Amino acid sequence: KLSQITREISEDPDIVAVIGPGKSEQVVEAARRFTPTEVVMVTPAATAGEIFRTYGDDDYVWRTLESDIAQTEIMILSALAADAEKVALLTNFSLYGDTFFDWFGFFAAEVGYGIDDVVVDRYGQDGDSSPDACAQPVNGILAGAPDILFAVPENDDQIVCMVNTVAAYNELNEPDVKLYFSSEGYRSELLTTLGDNAEGVEGVTLSAAPESGFDIEYKYRYG
């Protein structure tokens, strides 16, 4: 268990820093253990906005990536650039999904989308992360015919579910709904295996947080 691992690390005087864990909920749990013992934790994958809000001034929780708030803003700006008139977001109930849910409507309103132009829904209530948990909400959103569906998956099964569900809808309806994934949907090898169903799928991937200096230091060290 994570709690046992973090306790062992925090009690080992020879360990001064750790890299990880990967998920945002795990980072929050680990930070409660490491911060009081002054063990530095570098978080190279967890990007939930809550981490940045809670640990923004914490000397022992280091973040090397932009938060999901930046991802959400990019999503809306890409919709605006594509002249999308109606946009939709499907996210889950995890800490990772919370950021998209909390900020999507705000950014949409900021750039001029009206209430009727934005649909936001969630899937996987009660912790159900199975592909079946996403199929029904995807079809529910598609019934409203958005120009772009922004989707926040958490595992490969959900990516497959979302791609195939949207592809099946587009086979029967015009114009096509574009599927656009958050960074967790960036699985190039998996999307390749889905063939024509994944044709035209777009998304956003992770990038270094400029204020951290990590990107510059990496390029300096490794060219």
Side-chain angles (χ1 to χ4, degrees), residues 50-79:
E50 180 66 19
I51 296 173
F52 290 74
R53 186 187 68 81
T54 304
Y55 300 104
D57 297 324
D58 193 306
D59 293 333
Y60 300 100
V61 179
W62 295 3
R63 295 151 308 282
T64 60
L65 297 170
E66 286 274 25
S67 80
D68 292 327
I69 298 174
Q71 279 198 59
T72 311
E73 184 177 17
I74 290 297
M75 287 176 170
I76 289 297
L77 292 177
S78 68

Side-chain angles (χ1 to χ4, degrees), residues 157-179:
D157 287 341
Q158 290 169 0
I159 294 171
V160 172
C161 164
M162 292 171 179
V163 168
N164 288 339
T165 303
V166 172
Y169 173 88
N170 287 340
E171 279 285 325
L172 303 174
N173 298 274
E174 291 185 356
D176 286 354
V177 174
K178 176 171 283 296
L179 178 61

Side-chain angles (χ1 to χ4, degrees), residues 89-116:
L89 171 75
L90 180 63
T91 185
N92 53 41
F93 286 87
S94 68
L95 193 61
Y96 170 66
D98 285 348
T99 307
F100 297 94
F101 183 83
D102 292 342
W103 287 90
F104 189 83
F106 169 78
F107 285 127
E110 284 287 290
V111 301
Y113 284 104
I115 294 176
D116 295 334

